[in-house]
Amino acid sequence: MISKSQISFIKSLHQKKFRKEHGLFIVEGLKSITEFINSEFEIDSIYHLTDVVPKLGKLSQNIKLHQISSDNLSKISALSAPQQLLATIKIPSTEEFKIELLEGNFSIALDGIQDPGNLGTIIRTADWFGIKYIICSQDTVEAFNPKVVQASMGSLARVKIIYADLKDLFSRTKLPVYGALLDGQSIYKTTFGQEGILLLGNEGKGINADLMKMIHFPVTIPRLGGAESLNVAISASIFCSEIRRNC
């Protein structure tokens, strides 16, 4: 069983300031937690219902296990329908990012993405298409937000998320920047090559004006119907598919 203070502590991790203070974030569900166990992330604790732990496979002795009731799981969960397991995982220490790591592949840059579900879906999409790095502007939603983690379905365990000044990053790389715009060249007529950065903008405002100047290739998904715009996560999926088709 867990104490009231433990319940309060885990619930506090639903908020960004306490995740930052304690260096922990939460992951829920068997599949997602298993992905993190098999990754470079360090698991702190797992809170579980009866007979669920064996499904996780062999666990490090450093992981603290707590069997709890379904009522207490509901209290600490960020989900409306808790999924038998909740883990607290250590946020990796911030290291100086080497821009050379982006060379030889495609990466995604996100300018001011606000919706957690969109970021989580983009992370999952990047993982599907073998994209290892997502570089986010400082005003993009935090990757360890519980809604982002849940929407990524475990892919956050494999895709590296970097928060940086995009303008500075673009100025320091020779990689081509492809900007997702409404009035760019059709992606079906674009040769993407073997490496580059795909830049996607804010859901409502699009790409920041300062970054627009740094785009080498404005590209678009041709509109054939009457919709005003595409969801940014759906756009990311279409762009990634076309990029990989050309590789």
Side-chain angles (χ1 to χ4, degrees):
M1 301 299 291
I2 59 174
S3 66
K4 290 183 179 179
S5 61
Q6 284 177 297
I7 291 173
S8 296
F9 171 73
I10 297 165
K11 288 177 68 175
S12 75
L13 298 178
H14 295 187
Q15 300 178 53
K16 181 178 179 178
K17 66 177 181 179
F18 292 111
R19 290 193 292 273
K20 184 176 181 180
E21 178 181 339
H22 299 292
L24 294 170
F25 68 102
I26 62 173
V27 178
E28 302 193 53
L30 178 63
K31 180 187 180 300
S32 292
I33 292 174
T34 301
E35 298 281 12
F36 280 94
I37 289 172
N38 295 324
S39 75
E40 297 178 354
F41 281 80
E42 186 176 349
I43 314 299
D44 174 62
S45 300
I46 295 177
Y47 301 85
H48 62 92
L49 302 184
T50 309
D51 300 329
V52 180
V53 170
K55 298 179 182 179
L56 291 170
K58 188 175 181 180
L59 297 174
S60 166
Q61 294 183 345
N62 295 326
I63 299 174
K64 299 183 284 289
L65 299 175
H66 305 270
Q67 182 175 319
I68 62 175
S69 67
S70 56
D71 285 344
N72 281 338
L73 181 60
S74 295
K75 291 177 182 177
I76 63 176
S77 175
L79 304 175
S80 56
Q83 298 182 15
Q84 297 187 301
L85 291 156
L86 181 149
T88 54
I89 299 179
K90 293 185 179 180
I91 296 173
S93 57
T94 303
E95 301 176 358
E96 184 177 353
F97 178 63
K98 297 179 180 179
I99 201 166
E100 295 81 12
L101 293 172
L102 302 182
E103 296 175 2
N105 201 344
F106 266 84
S107 303
I108 295 173
L110 301 177
D111 179 28
I113 300 301
Q114 298 296 301
D115 183 82
N118 282 338
L119 178 55
T121 302
I122 292 171
I123 293 170
R124 190 177 179 186
T125 297
D127 187 24
W128 178 269
F129 286 102
I131 292 174
K132 298 179 180 179
Y133 293 95
I134 296 178
I135 306 97
C136 300
S137 63
Q138 298 292 355
D139 59 344
T140 290
V141 63
E142 181 214 6
F144 301 112
N145 178 304
K147 292 181 179 179
V148 175
V149 176
Q150 193 64 29
S152 78
M153 293 296 289
S155 288
L156 182 59
R158 285 180 293 272
V159 178
K160 300 287 186 182
I161 312 298
I162 311 297
Y163 285 81
D165 181 327
L166 296 184
K167 186 176 180 180
D168 175 66
L169 182 142
F170 293 157
S171 69
R172 292 189 295 111
T173 181
K174 295 180 180 179
L175 290 171
V177 177
Y178 296 84
L181 302 170
L182 287 175
D183 57 354
Q185 176 175 281
S186 168
I187 59 170
Y188 306 122
K189 297 179 180 179
T190 301
T191 302
F192 287 97
Q194 301 299 312
E195 61 181 5
I197 301 173
L198 171 64
L199 174 61
L200 298 161
N202 175 273
E203 292 91 341
K205 300 177 183 177
I207 296 171
N208 185 288
D210 288 341
L211 297 179
M212 289 280 285
K213 303 172 186 176
M214 308 184 82
I215 293 172
H216 301 112
F217 302 101
V219 286
T220 192
I221 300 166
R223 177 173 59 182
L224 302 178
E228 181 181 349
S229 63
L230 273 178
N231 172 275
V232 66
I234 292 175
S235 296
S237 298
I238 296 171
F239 275 108
C240 287
S241 178
E242 191 63 18
I243 285 170
R244 286 312 190 206
R245 190 181 72 84
N246 282 269
C247 287

